[in-house]
Amino acid sequence: MTRKIVILTSIYPGKDINETFTPIVHYFTKEWIKMDCEVIVIHNLAFYHKFFYFLASIFSKLIAAFTGTNIPNQRLTQVYKYHLDGVIVIRMPIYKSFPRFRFAKKTIERQEEKIFKELDQSNFIPDIIVGHWENPQLELITLLKKRFSSAVTSLVFHHKADFLINLYKNNTKEILSSIDVFGFRSAPIKASFKQFGVDEKNSFMCYSGIPERFTENKNVKKFNAKLASFLFVGTLIKRKYPSEIIDALTIVYKNNDYKLDYIGGGFESNKIETKIKEKLLSENVTLNGRVTRDKVWEKMIESDCFIMISKNEAYGLVYLEAMAAGCITIAAKDEGFDGVIKHGENGFLCEAGNVEELAILIEYINKMSIQEKQEISKSAVLTASKLTNFKAAESYLRNLEK
């Protein structure tokens, strides 16, 4: 039986869309097409007053330094229809007064009317309506549910519940009532919604996957008595705490007998370069800049340990790739990868940005036997093998249909 799915999202790839945005939703939709689903994506791309783009161009580097987000360099306002890997995509720009604010009620109503007309003209009656990113998808799903009452509705939450409460205040519970199935990008996000009666029966974890090719070989490392090579892959911005890794390693390795590679660019690279000079670490620490995905994979295969203890991280495919490579992977507690990583089983968790805790954790891992490290590595590889693109999309669809 062919399933008809409408997916609403604030972010979706296109030839004129900034490539720094990870195509999370497309990873799912292109797999659903292979599963004999008919999929229409409605890309609710926010646009702002022209003056905003002028200001953004002036302060773009500063904004990117602290948020890791690149401001769009063009104001896209026209409806644009295209196909991508068999997926029908309809970009419907929607005006917003200010970033992170609610859309105006009239704007939401007009947008929903446009969406309905597009579906009606295509004679597309959805079995499932699903959204990614709460604002404006939640309000649009609420209105579309009145049009397609038999459709299953779902929203995948990328923020904790306080984000919604700030938007909808006392109406939060009421507006959530239109959602049949709740999806969550991380365990901490899910936990924050317990106050609204969300439980296992009407919710699921919406984890992304990685390409199957990363899981074809069982990459279990040999290891030495101590971890010898470390890796960070990501944007070098403050909330990801990249330079704090050097501080922790300096505490643990008195003789500087380790290697640390950074892959990625960003404002914090200056801070890292300063620490390299001050601590005389030019032989130990390397800033590689941005490299290809294949080069990243090669570095992961070479490294013992992957560290990124970020704050405000919704998920993070790079952790999963590191686990597939057999790395001892350290992520942040109560952040996006807490839940996929189970502390002491398939990786480790540390408070975001906490140098002392990270140092203690690395010392603890170094005291483990080589066999114990290999067991962690094997468990990491097994976890990654269960989260390929296809398996993640299949699980996602199964949860929507339940």
Side-chain angles (χ1 to χ4, degrees), residues 254-280:
K254 305 300 183 185
N255 297 322
N256 293 337
D257 50 339
Y258 69 89
K259 295 287 185 182
L260 168 62
D261 278 280
Y262 288 99
I263 293 178
F267 197 73
E268 288 285 292
S269 61
N270 294 332
K271 190 174 181 180
I272 293 168
E273 287 175 347
T274 299
K275 286 188 178 182
I276 292 172
K277 290 176 182 177
E278 289 177 350
K279 298 176 185 291
L280 304 176

Side-chain angles (χ1 to χ4, degrees), residues 128-227:
I128 299 169
I129 302 171
V130 61
H132 275 261
W133 288 279
E134 302 83 344
N135 185 25
Q137 276 64 238
L138 182 52
E139 291 180 82
L140 290 171
I141 289 173
T142 299
L143 294 175
L144 287 169
K145 180 70 171 177
K146 295 174 183 177
R147 307 262 198 182
F148 305 104
S149 58
S150 62
V152 172
T153 56
S154 179
L155 184 70
V156 176
F157 294 87
H158 291 247
H159 300 92
K160 292 182 180 178
D162 56 0
F163 176 79
L164 279 190
I165 294 168
N166 288 335
L167 285 176
Y168 304 116
K169 312 302 180 190
N170 295 332
N171 296 324
T172 303
K173 189 169 185 176
E174 180 184 349
I175 201 166
L176 287 173
S177 65
S178 62
I179 303 301
D180 297 319
V181 186
F182 293 78
F184 301 101
R185 289 290 284 168
S186 73
I189 293 175
K190 181 179 178 179
S192 73
F193 276 80
K194 285 185 178 179
Q195 60 187 297
F196 297 110
V198 176
D199 57 29
E200 296 300 326
K201 294 179 181 178
N202 63 342
S203 66
F204 68 100
M205 299 307 304
C206 185
Y207 294 140
S208 296
I210 55 176
E212 281 74 9
R213 64 187 176 91
F214 288 138
T215 64
E216 290 172 354
N217 300 314
K218 304 304 179 186
N219 301 296
V220 179
K221 299 182 185 296
K222 294 182 179 180
F223 297 110
N224 295 313
K226 295 196 300 183
L227 297 173

Side-chain angles (χ1 to χ4, degrees), residues 223-225 364-374:
F223 297 110
N224 295 313
Y364 171 79
I365 297 168
N366 282 343
K367 289 176 182 177
M368 296 171 68
S369 68
I370 292 174
Q371 185 178 356
E372 286 172 326
K373 293 185 186 74
Q374 287 177 333

